[in-house]
């Protein structure tokens, strides 16, 4: 009995291969989460009537409800009443729920960055006759992006870890592959040690990209 290093080396390639689904989910959820977050942040920033209260309810649900519950509620609950959902591929279902959840967290990161822009610059823009759209495109967003980058990358890292729950709907990602391998060999110590290694490598790469992007934005600013 003991840690079998050779078995770890044997199982690692399979886990890294399964990480393609993890990367896919991370990219899709980050992209759509960013779009959702930007829309919600702008609604909250301008306190748009009717939409702002709805956005707050959305944020409360997505930031407060456990991801596991949302996955089951959507894929097994709503599927009972919707043929579209019941026939959906598990990977697509996970992509939708993680994107919606990510949008809630990214919205707060973006809104905080928008609010950090000095009020004097906004007043100056209005005095020049800029519309709200021009103000947002030319003054607020260029400055807010630099501020938002670190927290948005933290959101992406969180999304990457969120994807580990996709195996609960049958997606054979890193965790799904580990579960299958574990049921075959029962060498859980080595298998989940391998899972940790895979996620550390992925997160490490994201952190390198984060530092590079942050540096570029700082130099541009």
């Amino acid at each position: 009995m003991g840690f079998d290093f050779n078995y770890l080396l044997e199982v690692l390639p399979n886990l890294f291969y399964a990480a393609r689904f993890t990367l896919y989910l991370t990219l899709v959820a980050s992209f759509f989460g960013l779009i959702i977050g930007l829309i919600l942040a702008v609604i909250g920033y301008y306190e748009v009537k009717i939409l702002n209260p709805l956005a707050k309810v959305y944020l409360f649900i997505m930031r407060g409800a456990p991801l596991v519950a949302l996955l089951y509620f959507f894929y097994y609950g709503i599927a009972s009443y919707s043929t579209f959902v019941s026939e959906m591929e598990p990977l697509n279902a996970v992509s939708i729920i993680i994107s919606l959840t990510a949008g809630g967290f990214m919205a707060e990161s973006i809104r905080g960055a928008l609010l950090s822009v000095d009020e004097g610059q906004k007043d100056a823009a209005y005095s020049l006759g800029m519309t709200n759209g021009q103000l947002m495109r030319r003054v607020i967003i260029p400055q807010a992006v630099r501020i938002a980058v670190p927290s948005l990358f933290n959101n992406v890292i969180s999304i990457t870890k969120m994807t580990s729950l996709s195996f609960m709907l049958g997606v054979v990602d890193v965790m799904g592959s580990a579960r299958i391998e574990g049921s075959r060999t029962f060498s859980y110590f080595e298998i989940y040690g391998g899972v940790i290694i895979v996620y550390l490598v992925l997160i490490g790469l994201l952190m390198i990209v984060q530092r590079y992007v942050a540096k570029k934005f700082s130099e541009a600013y």
Side-chain angles (χ1 to χ4, degrees):
M1 298 296 292
F3 190 85
D4 189 342
F5 188 73
N6 290 328
Y7 178 68
L8 172 63
L9 294 178
E10 178 186 327
V11 78
L12 269 178
N14 292 333
L15 296 178
F16 273 109
Y17 182 70
R20 69 192 189 280
F21 292 116
T22 299
L23 290 173
Y24 170 81
L25 289 169
T26 298
L27 291 173
V28 170
S30 297
F31 177 76
F32 287 106
L34 184 61
I35 293 174
I36 295 169
L38 182 59
I39 293 171
L40 293 172
V42 172
I43 290 173
Y45 181 79
Y46 286 112
E47 297 183 350
V48 181
K49 291 182 179 179
I50 300 176
L51 294 180
N52 193 37
L54 294 176
K56 288 182 178 179
V57 172
Y58 176 91
L59 291 173
F60 177 74
I61 294 173
M62 290 301 159
R63 296 180 68 200
L67 181 59
V68 174
L70 290 172
L71 287 170
Y72 281 150
F73 177 78
F74 179 75
Y75 195 65
Y76 295 116
I78 295 180
S80 302
Y81 304 94
S82 171
T83 304
F84 175 74
V85 176
S86 64
E87 295 178 352
M88 185 179 294
E89 290 292 327
L91 188 65
N92 294 332
V94 174
S95 299
I96 290 171
I97 295 302
I98 296 183
S99 296
L100 294 174
T101 303
F105 287 97
M106 286 185 165
E108 291 301 291
S109 298
I110 297 170
R111 191 172 73 90
L114 295 176
L115 292 172
S116 68
V117 178
D118 185 74
E119 289 292 331
Q121 297 186 42
K122 302 172 191 175
D123 295 335
Y126 285 130
S127 69
L128 293 173
M130 286 190 184
T131 64
N132 283 335
Q134 291 173 326
L135 170 65
M136 185 64 66
R137 291 194 308 272
R138 299 180 182 180
V139 179
I140 297 177
I141 289 180
Q143 298 182 64
V145 166
R146 181 180 64 88
I147 299 170
V149 163
S151 57
L152 287 176
F153 262 98
N154 288 335
N155 292 145
V156 174
I157 289 172
S158 296
I159 290 169
T160 304
K161 292 188 284 188
M162 284 181 192
T163 63
S164 64
L165 295 175
S166 61
F167 81 95
M168 302 185 76
L169 297 190
V171 177
V172 187
D173 65 333
V174 178
M175 286 294 294
S177 179
R179 187 181 184 185
I180 293 171
E181 184 68 18
S183 65
R184 184 179 68 84
T185 65
F186 300 101
S187 299
Y188 296 109
F189 193 18
E190 294 84 357
I191 291 169
Y192 288 106
V195 169
I196 293 172
I197 291 172
V198 171
Y199 274 99
L200 288 177
V201 169
L202 296 178
I203 300 303
L205 292 174
L206 285 173
M207 292 175 69
I208 292 172
V209 174
Q210 177 184 6
R211 285 196 293 269
Y212 175 79
V213 173
K215 182 180 179 181
K216 287 298 181 182
F217 274 109
S218 296
E219 291 173 353
Y221 184 77

mmCIF file of all heavy atoms in Angstrom, residues 72-83 85-86:
data_model
loop_
_atom_site.group_PDB
_atom_site.id
_atom_site.type_symbol
_atom_site.label_atom_id
_atom_site.label_comp_id
_atom_site.label_asym_id
_atom_site.label_seq_id
_atom_site.Cartn_x
_atom_site.Cartn_y
_atom_site.Cartn_z
ATOM 1 N N TYR A 72 -28.811 20.938 -11.503
ATOM 2 C CA TYR A 72 -29.871 19.934 -11.388
ATOM 3 C C TYR A 72 -31.244 20.533 -11.689
ATOM 4 O O TYR A 72 -32.076 19.901 -12.328
ATOM 5 C CB TYR A 72 -29.868 19.321 -9.989
ATOM 6 C CG TYR A 72 -28.802 18.278 -9.785
ATOM 7 C CD1 TYR A 72 -28.223 18.067 -8.532
ATOM 8 C CD2 TYR A 72 -28.362 17.478 -10.834
ATOM 9 C CE1 TYR A 72 -27.239 17.098 -8.334
ATOM 10 C CE2 TYR A 72 -27.387 16.517 -10.653
ATOM 11 C CZ TYR A 72 -26.832 16.329 -9.404
ATOM 12 O OH TYR A 72 -25.864 15.375 -9.218
ATOM 13 N N PHE A 73 -31.480 21.753 -11.214
ATOM 14 C CA PHE A 73 -32.771 22.417 -11.440
ATOM 15 C C PHE A 73 -33.023 22.586 -12.938
ATOM 16 O O PHE A 73 -34.133 22.348 -13.429
ATOM 17 C CB PHE A 73 -32.785 23.787 -10.757
ATOM 18 C CG PHE A 73 -34.038 24.584 -10.992
ATOM 19 C CD1 PHE A 73 -35.195 24.302 -10.289
ATOM 20 C CD2 PHE A 73 -34.063 25.612 -11.927
ATOM 21 C CE1 PHE A 73 -36.360 25.036 -10.500
ATOM 22 C CE2 PHE A 73 -35.216 26.345 -12.156
ATOM 23 C CZ PHE A 73 -36.364 26.059 -11.442
ATOM 24 N N PHE A 74 -31.966 22.966 -13.661
ATOM 25 C CA PHE A 74 -32.105 23.204 -15.097
ATOM 26 C C PHE A 74 -32.194 21.895 -15.873
ATOM 27 O O PHE A 74 -33.134 21.686 -16.650
ATOM 28 C CB PHE A 74 -30.907 24.025 -15.597
ATOM 29 C CG PHE A 74 -30.939 24.306 -17.073
ATOM 30 C CD1 PHE A 74 -31.799 25.259 -17.595
ATOM 31 C CD2 PHE A 74 -30.103 23.624 -17.947
ATOM 32 C CE1 PHE A 74 -31.827 25.530 -18.960
ATOM 33 C CE2 PHE A 74 -30.120 23.881 -19.310
ATOM 34 C CZ PHE A 74 -30.991 24.835 -19.815
ATOM 35 N N TYR A 75 -31.221 21.000 -15.647
ATOM 36 C CA TYR A 75 -31.102 19.822 -16.507
ATOM 37 C C TYR A 75 -32.102 18.717 -16.172
ATOM 38 O O TYR A 75 -32.505 17.967 -17.055
ATOM 39 C CB TYR A 75 -29.679 19.262 -16.426
ATOM 40 C CG TYR A 75 -29.369 18.276 -17.528
ATOM 41 C CD1 TYR A 75 -29.338 18.699 -18.857
ATOM 42 C CD2 TYR A 75 -29.111 16.941 -17.251
ATOM 43 C CE1 TYR A 75 -29.054 17.801 -19.887
ATOM 44 C CE2 TYR A 75 -28.822 16.042 -18.273
ATOM 45 C CZ TYR A 75 -28.796 16.471 -19.588
ATOM 46 O OH TYR A 75 -28.519 15.585 -20.595
ATOM 47 N N TYR A 76 -32.503 18.630 -14.908
ATOM 48 C CA TYR A 76 -33.456 17.589 -14.524
ATOM 49 C C TYR A 76 -34.831 18.165 -14.174
ATOM 50 O O TYR A 76 -35.847 17.523 -14.418
ATOM 51 C CB TYR A 76 -32.918 16.790 -13.327
ATOM 52 C CG TYR A 76 -31.668 16.015 -13.659
ATOM 53 C CD1 TYR A 76 -30.463 16.317 -13.037
ATOM 54 C CD2 TYR A 76 -31.682 14.997 -14.596
ATOM 55 C CE1 TYR A 76 -29.295 15.616 -13.341
ATOM 56 C CE2 TYR A 76 -30.526 14.286 -14.920
ATOM 57 C CZ TYR A 76 -29.336 14.602 -14.284
ATOM 58 O OH TYR A 76 -28.191 13.909 -14.596
ATOM 59 N N GLY A 77 -34.840 19.390 -13.607
ATOM 60 C CA GLY A 77 -36.114 19.997 -13.223
ATOM 61 C C GLY A 77 -36.864 20.574 -14.404
ATOM 62 O O GLY A 77 -37.964 20.121 -14.752
ATOM 63 N N ILE A 78 -36.265 21.570 -15.049
ATOM 64 C CA ILE A 78 -36.911 22.211 -16.200
ATOM 65 C C ILE A 78 -37.103 21.216 -17.343
ATOM 66 O O ILE A 78 -38.065 21.307 -18.110
ATOM 67 C CB ILE A 78 -36.081 23.426 -16.666
ATOM 68 C CG1 ILE A 78 -36.063 24.491 -15.575
ATOM 69 C CG2 ILE A 78 -36.638 23.999 -17.971
ATOM 70 C CD1 ILE A 78 -35.267 25.731 -15.920
ATOM 71 N N ALA A 79 -36.195 20.237 -17.436
ATOM 72 C CA ALA A 79 -36.303 19.230 -18.503
ATOM 73 C C ALA A 79 -37.612 18.452 -18.423
ATOM 74 O O ALA A 79 -38.089 17.918 -19.433
ATOM 75 C CB ALA A 79 -35.117 18.267 -18.421
ATOM 76 N N SER A 80 -38.195 18.393 -17.238
ATOM 77 C CA SER A 80 -39.469 17.683 -17.078
ATOM 78 C C SER A 80 -40.601 18.385 -17.816
ATOM 79 O O SER A 80 -41.624 17.775 -18.137
ATOM 80 C CB SER A 80 -39.834 17.569 -15.591
ATOM 81 O OG SER A 80 -38.814 16.891 -14.879
ATOM 82 N N TYR A 81 -40.421 19.691 -18.081
ATOM 83 C CA TYR A 81 -41.470 20.476 -18.724
ATOM 84 C C TYR A 81 -41.046 21.017 -20.086
ATOM 85 O O TYR A 81 -41.855 21.643 -20.776
ATOM 86 C CB TYR A 81 -41.865 21.655 -17.823
ATOM 87 C CG TYR A 81 -42.293 21.226 -16.447
ATOM 88 C CD1 TYR A 81 -41.381 21.194 -15.395
ATOM 89 C CD2 TYR A 81 -43.611 20.839 -16.193
ATOM 90 C CE1 TYR A 81 -41.769 20.786 -14.121
ATOM 91 C CE2 TYR A 81 -44.006 20.431 -14.930
ATOM 92 C CZ TYR A 81 -43.080 20.404 -13.898
ATOM 93 O OH TYR A 81 -43.466 19.994 -12.644
ATOM 94 N N SER A 82 -39.798 20.780 -20.462
ATOM 95 C CA SER A 82 -39.292 21.321 -21.728
ATOM 96 C C SER A 82 -38.570 20.241 -22.535
ATOM 97 O O SER A 82 -37.562 19.691 -22.075
ATOM 98 C CB SER A 82 -38.336 22.490 -21.451
ATOM 99 O OG SER A 82 -37.672 22.893 -22.626
ATOM 100 N N THR A 83 -39.082 19.971 -23.696
ATOM 101 C CA THR A 83 -38.438 19.003 -24.587
ATOM 102 C C THR A 83 -37.079 19.511 -25.037
ATOM 103 O O THR A 83 -36.127 18.741 -25.189
ATOM 104 C CB THR A 83 -39.313 18.736 -25.823
ATOM 105 O OG1 THR A 83 -40.604 18.315 -25.404
ATOM 106 C CG2 THR A 83 -38.699 17.658 -26.704
ATOM 107 N N VAL A 85 -34.915 21.322 -23.401
ATOM 108 C CA VAL A 85 -33.901 21.096 -22.368
ATOM 109 C C VAL A 85 -33.622 19.609 -22.199
ATOM 110 O O VAL A 85 -32.469 19.186 -22.047
ATOM 111 C CB VAL A 85 -34.340 21.709 -21.019
ATOM 112 C CG1 VAL A 85 -33.322 21.390 -19.918
ATOM 113 C CG2 VAL A 85 -34.501 23.220 -21.149
ATOM 114 N N SER A 86 -34.665 18.797 -22.247
ATOM 115 C CA SER A 86 -34.490 17.355 -22.035
ATOM 116 C C SER A 86 -33.645 16.708 -23.134
ATOM 117 O O SER A 86 -32.986 15.696 -22.896
ATOM 118 C CB SER A 86 -35.854 16.661 -21.949
ATOM 119 O OG SER A 86 -36.551 16.766 -23.181
#
